[in-house]
Amino acid sequence: MNISKLQYITSNPIHAEKACKGGADWIQLRIKNKTFEEWKEIAHETKRICSLYKARLIINDNVQLAKEINADGVHLGKEDMLPLEARKILGENFIIGGTANTLDDIMRLQRMNVDYIGLGPFRYTSTKEKLSPVVGINGYIYMFPELKRRNMNLPIIAVGGIRTGDVKSLISAGVYGVAVSSAITNTNDITKSTQEFIKLLS
C-alpha cells in the first residue's frame, strides 16, 4: 500500500484543489458540525477534484460515507469505529489509517490491520477537538527505537501542529511522513506551502 509522505487535512474542496496544484496526492477530508447530506456534498466535490489531479481521498471518521462515495480510504480516530470493523465493511482494497498517542496505541492498531498510523499530536493544535496529550519531538525520539525492537514496520505519520521547520527533526526521529492542516491552509499561498512541504519530505 503506497502511503503518501504528505497528507493534507482540510474541510474545503477549494483548498484541496490548491494543494493538489502544489503536488499533494493525498487529501484527508475532515468535516465537523455538518449533516450527513452536507458532508456528502462536500465529499463528492472533493472527490471530483482528487480524481482530476490523480490524488487519493481519505474520509475522516465516517466509514459509511467513505463507502458510499467510494473514497480511497478512511482515517479513524481513537473514539471512532474499530479498524477491524471498518475493514469488514470496506474490504481489503480500502486504505484504513488509525490515530495513536502512545506505544500501546500503535501496537494495538498494528494488530487491527491498519495500513498506516497517525501519531500525535506533535504539539498543541486548535484544529482538533478532544486533543490527546502532546507527544513532542522527544516522544517520537523515544518511541521509534522501541517500535523497531517490537518489529513494528507500519508507516508512522506525525500529526498535530506541524510546521515546515519541524519536518527535518521528525524525519530524523523516524517518522515516515507528516499530516498537515493549518501550516498549509493558513498561508497566503496554499499551493506554494504544499510544494515546500513536499520538497522537505522528498
Side-chain angles (χ1 to χ4, degrees):
M1 189 77 68
N2 182 21
I3 306 299
S4 298
K5 294 199 171 198
L6 176 65
Q7 303 184 1
Y8 176 49
I9 303 168
T10 185
S11 60
N12 188 322
I14 295 167
H15 292 169
E17 181 158 25
K18 288 177 180 177
C20 288
K21 282 179 180 174
D25 63 358
W26 182 293
I27 304 295
Q28 185 189 134
L29 189 65
R30 182 193 281 167
I31 304 287
K32 300 176 201 166
N33 307 319
K34 299 272 186 195
T35 65
F36 184 83
E37 289 307 314
E38 288 171 321
W39 195 347
K40 190 161 81 169
E41 192 176 327
I42 295 166
H44 272 301
E45 177 59 14
T46 310
K47 190 186 176 194
R48 184 190 66 78
I49 289 159
C50 286
S51 298
L52 200 62
Y53 289 91
K54 295 182 170 56
R56 283 170 292 179
L57 174 62
I58 308 297
I59 301 293
N60 196 62
D61 300 349
N62 199 322
V63 173
Q64 183 190 345
L65 180 64
K67 184 174 185 180
E68 197 165 314
I69 70 157
N70 195 28
D72 296 284
V74 67
H75 185 90
L76 300 168
K78 291 179 79 172
E79 295 177 8
D80 298 327
M81 183 185 288
L82 290 175
L84 287 173
E85 288 300 310
R87 183 67 72 197
K88 284 177 192 170
I89 294 165
L90 299 172
E92 290 302 316
N93 294 327
F94 263 78
I95 299 164
I96 297 179
T99 296
N101 179 243
T102 64
L103 278 170
D104 286 345
D105 289 342
I106 294 168
M107 300 315 296
R108 180 176 56 84
L109 285 169
Q110 178 166 262
R111 291 191 296 271
M112 290 197 187
N113 196 23
V114 298
D115 298 301
Y116 73 93
I117 291 168
L119 176 61
F122 173 67
R123 64 163 59 87
Y124 175 78
T125 172
S126 60
T127 59
K128 186 85 168 76
E129 294 172 4
K130 296 182 182 176
L131 201 67
S132 295
V134 169
V135 175
I137 190 62
N138 290 332
Y140 290 91
I141 290 167
Y142 161 73
M143 281 191 224
F144 276 92
E146 186 60 28
L147 292 171
K148 197 171 180 182
R149 192 179 69 77
R150 299 185 190 191
N151 297 317
M152 207 300 297
N153 53 14
L154 285 171
I156 302 278
I157 306 294
V159 60
I162 292 165
R163 304 166 191 149
T164 50
D166 303 317
V167 172
K168 193 176 176 183
S169 58
L170 284 165
I171 296 296
S172 295
V175 305
Y176 175 83
V178 297
V180 178
S181 182
S182 300
I184 289 176
T185 303
N186 297 342
T187 59
N188 294 327
D189 192 331
I190 287 172
T191 301
K192 188 179 174 186
S193 299
T194 303
Q195 288 168 337
E196 285 172 11
F197 270 102
I198 289 169
K199 190 176 176 184
L200 286 164
L201 289 159
S202 62

